[in-house]
Amino acid sequence: MASPSPEPLDTPPPAIGPQLRQLALQLAAGLAVLSLAWPYYGIRNEELPWPETALAIGGVALLLASLTRQAWWWRLIHLLFAPLAWAVSGLAIDPGWFLLLFMLLLLVYRGALGGQVPLYFSNRPTAAALAELTADLPGLRFLDLGAGVGSVLCPLARQRPDAQFTGVENAPATWLVGRLRTAGLANCDWRWGDLWRTDFAGYNVVYAFLSPAPMAALWEKIQREMPKGSLFVSNSFAVPGVDATREIDVDDARQTRLYCYRI
């Protein structure tokens, strides 16, 4: 079976405004505290007390995050960022280690930086549920968005040699692992790419395990591009404001739920 060939599109990814907003909040907290602390201690000819200053910045950042109604985990990050940064600075760690750690994280969590999509692994029970869901579907053309290391595509492609499977991944490390795992599967097309520039028109099942952030924009793209009668399946994250055609509770430890939307 010929593999569908997604064409680059002009559909933009969701705006990166949320990340910039968090950076702005942290910078605003730092500027607010330092603009008061530096003149005060300068006039008194005293050294700036960095531990207390870091704690003050964390407190002001928490206040700003609360006033702007950020998620609880962002509030926690804002509270702890400056104090932890000060504490780590006292360890005299070579800056090269921080650069190395950043590069390693970028190789694995690139989606979280650009589109608020962390790395989630679909487990075997989820793959089994998807296999059962699509078992009676002839001419299956399955697309996995943010395919990770191929934890869904590998078992499905082995079970359905008559079907065509495509995985799209843009984090270098996970893409490489998935490429190696799917290398021997003739019916599995493993691609480096951006889900927002992937054409969904050639597929009758699209699967995603992303995050709440991109779901509204993704649903708009799905409605534009997926053919009538096709199926979109979202792991754990429902499309906001849209009732799922079917919900499947997976029998696993984390109580996974699959939201199925018939187009």
Side-chain angles (χ1 to χ4, degrees), residues 210-233:
L210 303 176
S211 78
M215 294 307 299
L218 180 61
W219 178 244
E220 292 180 3
K221 179 174 171 61
I222 284 169
Q223 289 182 297
R224 288 196 305 269
E225 299 176 10
M226 290 189 70
K228 184 177 180 180
S230 57
L231 183 66
F232 170 58
V233 182

Side-chain angles (χ1 to χ4, degrees), residues 18 32 57 61 73 90 92 104 115 121 131 134 150 162 170 177 182 190 194 204 214 233 242 254 256-257 260:
I57 292 174
W73 47 276
L104 291 175
F121 290 113
T134 59
D162 61 309
N170 70 351
V177 173
T182 59
W190 192 259
D194 181 355
N204 51 16
V233 182
V242 180
R254 65 187 183 201
T256 297
R257 174 168 292 182
C260 307

Side-chain angles (χ1 to χ4, degrees), residues 85-262:
W86 172 82
V88 171
S89 68
L91 299 178
I93 300 174
D94 190 302
W97 289 108
F98 293 104
L99 177 60
L100 177 61
L101 179 61
F102 173 76
M103 294 177 65
L104 291 175
L105 290 174
L106 187 61
L107 290 174
V108 178
Y109 295 101
R110 182 175 183 268
L113 179 64
Q116 294 184 276
V117 180
L119 176 62
Y120 294 119
F121 290 113
S122 299
N123 52 28
R124 291 184 179 181
T126 298
L130 289 169
E132 182 179 353
L133 178 65
T134 59
D136 298 329
L137 185 61
L140 176 61
R141 300 179 305 281
F142 187 102
L143 173 64
D144 188 351
L145 302 175
V149 297
S151 52
V152 162
L153 288 194
C154 286
L156 290 182
R158 292 190 182 100
Q159 292 181 48
R160 290 287 303 270
D162 61 309
Q164 180 64 39
F165 298 89
T166 300
V168 176
E169 177 59 48
N170 70 351
T174 51
W175 174 88
L176 179 59
V177 173
R179 182 70 182 87
L180 294 174
R181 292 186 66 191
T182 59
L185 299 172
N187 63 334
C188 189
D189 184 13
W190 192 259
R191 300 182 179 181
W192 169 274
D194 181 355
L195 67 89
W196 302 105
R197 297 187 179 278
T198 299
D199 189 355
F200 299 166
Y203 305 94
N204 51 16
V205 177
V206 172
Y207 169 75
F209 190 7
L210 303 176
S211 78
M215 294 307 299
L218 180 61
W219 178 244
E220 292 180 3
K221 179 174 171 61
I222 284 169
Q223 289 182 297
R224 288 196 305 269
E225 299 176 10
M226 290 189 70
K228 184 177 180 180
S230 57
L231 183 66
F232 170 58
V233 182
S234 176
N235 187 324
S236 302
F237 307 111
V239 176
V242 180
D243 293 331
T245 309
R246 179 182 177 187
E247 296 181 10
I248 300 174
D249 291 319
V250 178
D251 186 15
D252 62 358
R254 65 187 183 201
Q255 299 181 324
T256 297
R257 174 168 292 182
L258 301 179
Y259 296 90
C260 307
Y261 301 86
R262 183 69 63 180

Side-chain angles (χ1 to χ4, degrees), residues 2-23:
S3 170
S5 300
E7 298 291 337
L9 301 178
D10 294 329
T11 304
I16 61 173
Q19 295 94 325
L20 294 178
R21 186 181 303 117
Q22 307 309 325
L23 178 60

